[in-house]
Amino acid sequence: MKQAQIYFAITLFAWSLQSAVAQVIPPGGSIYNPPPPPPPPPPKIEVPTIPRMDELPKRSYAPIAPQQSFDDRIGKCLDDAAAAGLGPAERTTYSRNCAVR
């Protein structure tokens, strides 16, 4: 009878140690820290197309939007500055900064 109780106590003690081992916290860790996120997927590597020597390059014949001349941009900026009520010195500064944008 005594041996059965000792055997039962040892078995119970060993069983309780196994559950405690599963809860070991690594050094520098905390029980409140969530597990780290999974690593991102590897980048997709695509082989670029190599141009052929016997083909002409493809050209885009789409119309290019006409750009305003510098004189037109300065005039528009001066008009905007005058409409905002700026004085002559402020108009020059504003139009100079506005036209180069």
Side-chain angles (χ1 to χ4, degrees), residues 7-87:
Y7 180 75
F8 178 75
I10 291 174
T11 306
L12 184 64
F13 180 72
W15 182 72
S16 67
L17 282 181
Q18 286 179 352
S19 63
V21 170
Q23 299 174 5
V24 172
I25 300 169
S30 170
I31 59 171
Y32 302 111
N33 288 345
K44 185 176 179 183
I45 299 174
E46 295 181 8
V47 178
T49 57
I50 300 172
R52 295 182 169 252
M53 296 300 288
D54 57 345
E55 285 184 11
L56 291 174
K58 295 180 182 176
R59 307 221 187 265
S60 173
Y61 295 105
I64 299 173
Q67 294 182 348
Q68 292 181 337
S69 68
F70 187 74
D71 186 43
D72 293 339
R73 289 193 311 245
I74 286 286
K76 182 182 179 310
C77 291
L78 283 171
D79 292 342
D80 292 345
L86 298 177

